[in-house]
Amino acid sequence: MEITFRTAINNDIDLLLTFMQEFYEIEHLQFNHQIIRSCLQEIFNNDKLAMVWLICADGEAVGYVVLTFGYSIEFHGRDALVDELYIRSGYRAQGLGTKTLKFVETFCQSLGIKALHLVVAYENTKAKSVYKKAGFIEHDRYIMTNWIGKDE
């Protein structure tokens, strides 16, 4: 199976929304079609915010990965976050996740990014195993969120 990565563009939004809805359902995340479409359009209009790639197996899109950009003194400069990584169920456990993370890492190196982060659910042991093999380490910290301007 040949694995390739294609930069997503505006014409891919409907496919990405399908993949994202599948991913959000698995992760028990709230899926808001309009908000996510707006976020994707913002990314496609400004590649300094993030990059989105389709993960392709033998030329067929079977998933996606979103990489967002930041800056951290703690992590010595520019950093990035694998914000979302999704591979359809029929293509999991075949090395696509590992290849995707290596692709993202190489891309980050080309931009001078010093640290690459991701978030994984505590109970997702399969994903944690893949991430650890790819060189990610756990921190003794919690991710905390304050939704700015969102009604309570």
Side-chain angles (χ1 to χ4, degrees), residues 1-2 14 18 46-47 50 102 111:
M1 175 170 33
E2 181 186 11
D14 289 336
T18 298
N46 184 355
D47 63 5
K102 186 62 180 166
L111 296 180

Side-chain angles (χ1 to χ4, degrees), residues 1 3 19 22 26 55 57-58 60-63 86-97:
M1 175 170 33
I3 307 306
F19 285 159
E22 292 170 7
I26 291 167
I55 303 165
D58 295 329
E60 177 188 353
V62 297
Y86 172 72
I87 298 167
R88 282 194 154 159
S89 62
Y91 294 89
R92 294 183 197 141
Q94 298 180 43
L96 275 77

Side-chain angles (χ1 to χ4, degrees), residues 62-100:
V62 297
Y64 72 98
V65 60
V66 178
L67 180 72
T68 62
F69 305 115
Y71 193 91
S72 170
I73 293 172
E74 178 182 354
F75 293 103
H76 310 157
R78 289 187 72 195
D79 64 350
L81 172 73
V82 177
D83 187 47
E84 295 188 8
L85 170 56
Y86 172 72
I87 298 167
R88 282 194 154 159
S89 62
Y91 294 89
R92 294 183 197 141
Q94 298 180 43
L96 275 77
T98 300
K99 288 178 182 172
T100 300

Side-chain angles (χ1 to χ4, degrees), residues 20-75:
M20 289 176 163
Q21 189 165 9
E22 292 170 7
F23 175 61
Y24 281 45
E25 191 172 300
I26 291 167
E27 292 293 318
H28 307 287
L29 300 170
Q30 184 177 358
F31 182 82
N32 184 309
H33 188 273
Q34 288 179 306
I35 289 173
I36 295 171
R37 177 180 289 276
S38 176
C39 288
L40 288 170
Q41 289 172 331
E42 191 171 358
I43 290 169
F44 294 152
N45 290 329
N46 184 355
D47 63 5
K48 293 194 183 328
L49 297 174
M51 292 291 298
V52 181
W53 292 277
L54 290 169
I55 303 165
C56 301
D58 295 329
E60 177 188 353
V62 297
Y64 72 98
V65 60
V66 178
L67 180 72
T68 62
F69 305 115
Y71 193 91
S72 170
I73 293 172
E74 178 182 354
F75 293 103

Side-chain angles (χ1 to χ4, degrees), residues 6-16 40 44 52-54:
R6 182 171 65 76
T7 303
I9 58 173
N10 262 331
N11 292 346
D12 297 316
I13 286 181
D14 289 336
L15 175 59
L16 284 165
L40 288 170
F44 294 152
V52 181
W53 292 277
L54 290 169

